[in-house]
Amino acid sequence: GGLVDSYDNLVTAIADWLDRSDLSDRVDTFIDIAEARHAREVRIREMLDTVTLTLEEGETEIELPENFLDFYKLRVRVPSATGRKYIPGIEELTVTQVAELSFLDRSWPRGFTVHEVIEFTNPADRDYEVELLYYTQLPALSKDQQTNALLTKAGDVYLYAALAASAPFLLNDERVQVWEALYADARDGLNRSSRESRRGGPLVSRVHGATP
């Protein structure tokens, strides 16, 4: 990230690289566009969070957390403390598959899909604790929010995405292609290293409302 480690530094860096005084009032818009792009394209370990939710008896759906961005994985705890800790073999399905495989009989969770909610194939025969591991939405940068996990880890991803967002105003400026390439390289490297670090060991993340 270098010196691009705060909102103020980022704004200054974008203005310096653009070197266009007529675009100075659009820098916040470029940052907003960069953040929308990050939400679609960047998945880093620091965005992962864990929450324990309850699938209530007779229900097939659970509401997602407010800061939910993307699904990573899910485990359902075995109600009894003896033997297995988690129910094995629960299958992630598509929305269409869940619609086709829905059962009326109550049982343990067998299959699920994630869309606007977490939806299971059958109503629960009792209350179940569901551990959801998911990617969170990063807080947007502003005067009052000087940093977040992505800016701290990779200021260049922010800088180049914001610079690339200026393309409609720079028209045939050759720098845009360079910024786009630099952003793509930084983003891909970040995602790749995050995937490798997740494979390398146990995942540690903040737990809200979960019992150890």
Side-chain angles (χ1 to χ4, degrees):
L3 293 175
V4 187
D5 57 0
S6 70
Y7 166 80
D8 289 340
N9 287 344
L10 177 63
V11 169
T12 300
I14 293 167
D16 287 348
W17 280 61
L18 286 174
D19 196 23
R20 284 271 299 268
S21 58
D22 59 317
L23 294 181
S24 57
D25 61 342
R26 297 188 182 273
V27 169
D28 270 330
T29 301
F30 299 153
I31 293 173
D32 290 344
I33 294 169
E35 289 178 331
R37 193 168 184 184
H38 295 154
R40 294 190 302 271
E41 300 177 6
V42 174
R43 298 290 181 269
I44 56 173
R45 184 187 181 94
E46 288 80 1
M47 293 166 67
L48 283 168
D49 206 350
T50 307
V51 66
T52 298
L53 306 167
T54 301
L55 175 62
E56 296 181 353
E57 181 179 350
E59 296 296 322
T60 58
E61 296 181 353
I62 307 177
E63 293 291 320
L64 292 166
E66 281 189 15
N67 64 344
F68 179 89
L69 177 65
D70 199 5
F71 175 76
Y72 185 62
K73 73 176 179 180
L74 170 156
R75 298 189 296 190
V76 180
R77 293 183 183 173
V78 173
S80 167
T82 59
R84 287 185 184 273
K85 188 175 181 183
Y86 299 103
I87 297 174
I90 300 175
E91 191 176 4
E92 183 181 359
L93 305 165
T94 66
V95 175
T96 304
Q97 286 173 322
V98 166
E100 291 172 348
L101 294 172
S102 290
F103 302 99
L104 293 176
D105 59 310
R106 298 187 179 196
S107 76
W108 68 91
R110 299 170 183 168
F112 73 95
T113 189
V114 180
H115 45 100
E116 289 82 7
V117 294
I118 305 170
E119 182 181 357
F120 292 87
T121 52
N122 45 276
D125 58 353
R126 56 171 298 159
D127 286 0
Y128 288 92
E129 287 190 339
V130 177
E131 291 182 5
L132 174 67
L133 186 59
Y134 66 104
Y135 289 101
T136 63
Q137 296 173 352
L138 291 164
L141 296 180
S142 67
K143 273 286 181 191
D144 297 325
Q145 178 74 43
Q146 283 288 322
T147 190
N148 63 28
L150 179 56
L151 187 68
T152 299
K153 188 178 183 73
D156 53 344
V157 169
Y158 252 102
L159 176 63
Y160 297 138
L163 290 170
S166 70
F169 299 95
L170 298 184
L171 299 177
N172 296 320
D173 194 319
E174 293 177 357
R175 295 179 300 169
V176 171
Q177 286 183 316
V178 175
W179 294 333
E180 189 65 48
L182 288 169
Y183 166 70
D185 284 348
R187 175 203 63 208
D188 293 349
L190 196 60
N191 286 337
R192 188 165 53 249
S193 66
S194 185
R195 283 195 300 272
E196 288 166 358
S197 71
R198 287 201 302 274
R199 283 200 300 268
L203 193 66
V204 179
S205 57
R206 301 182 308 285
V207 178
H208 298 305
T211 53

